[in-house]
Amino acid sequence: MLTKNQIAQRIAKEVKNGQYINLGIGIPTLVANYIPDHLEVVLQSENGLLGIGPFPKEEDIDPDLINAGKQTITMVKGSVLFNSAESFAMIRGGHVHLTILGAMEVSEKGDIANWKIPGKMVKGMGGAMDLVASAENIIVAMQHCSRDGQSKLLAECSLPITGIKCVKKIVTDLAVLEVDPELGFVLKERAPGVSVEEIKAKTAGKLTVEGEVPEMVFE
């Protein structure tokens, strides 16, 4: 199975030159560390940052410079800071090309649940609902199963929905999958050493396998 860093490394291969990208809390924040140097992209955070760099080394930490997940960050040349109202105007205006989010559940139709577990205290939904409603492309980074072994890739989400029919691609610790309105989860790649049979067994929603499924390659 992939580590969280390997999930982020695989997602970084989906990044295209010139994109404005929002990285959600958790695994998605790690993607910044794996974006190839030859690509010019701008990372956005909903708390009002445009131009986020990799996580800082210990000697470079600035406690006043944080992302939406309250993690310390660095800024690249040309970065700007602004208030969250302007940040959400950028998001709602459709100016974010790619959003990378974590999720607790994803349905075979591309619905995502990632903001609330009933009965548990949460500070708020954050910017997730705006992001999934507005971004051109949405990729989910997540664990394939919960800690008790239950699949998180379902026919229908059981948790409160963040957005409907919005997820395009999912990268889990087991596989890379695309979401198709007719075919459900389409298996595109598998983690090294993970079989198609294991992925089938751990996917509760509709799973389509077309031909040979290659293993992911990490350089």
Side-chain angles (χ1 to χ4, degrees), residues 83-213:
N83 67 44
S84 59
E86 290 176 298
S87 180
F88 277 93
M90 179 182 180
I91 293 167
R92 293 166 183 165
H95 304 294
V96 175
H97 302 116
L98 172 63
T99 290
I100 303 170
L101 294 168
M104 291 176 281
E105 294 177 348
V106 176
S107 82
E108 63 189 39
K109 298 173 185 175
D111 304 339
I112 180 174
N114 79 338
W115 77 275
K116 182 177 176 63
I117 299 176
K120 294 198 174 183
M121 179 68 71
V122 293
K123 294 179 180 179
M125 64 186 70
M129 289 188 179
D130 294 274
L131 288 162
V132 299
S134 306
E136 291 181 10
N137 186 19
I138 296 168
I139 298 175
V140 169
M142 64 187 296
Q143 304 294 323
H144 209 96
C145 297
S146 62
R147 291 178 181 177
D148 61 358
Q150 299 300 309
S151 178
K152 294 183 176 184
L153 303 183
L154 310 170
E156 298 284 346
C157 292
S158 63
L159 296 173
I161 296 291
T162 308
I164 61 171
K165 299 180 180 179
C166 56
V167 176
K168 304 294 191 299
K169 183 170 287 188
I170 308 160
V171 180
T172 76
D173 51 343
L174 300 181
V176 176
L177 309 104
E178 292 180 355
V179 179
D180 183 275
E182 301 297 329
L183 301 175
F185 301 112
V186 181
L187 183 58
K188 307 303 290 187
E189 298 175 28
R190 53 194 173 86
V194 175
S195 67
V196 172
E197 288 69 28
E198 180 179 355
I199 297 167
K200 285 180 177 178
K202 294 182 177 179
T203 304
K206 181 179 180 181
L207 179 68
T208 299
V209 181
E210 300 173 323
E212 291 293 323
V213 180

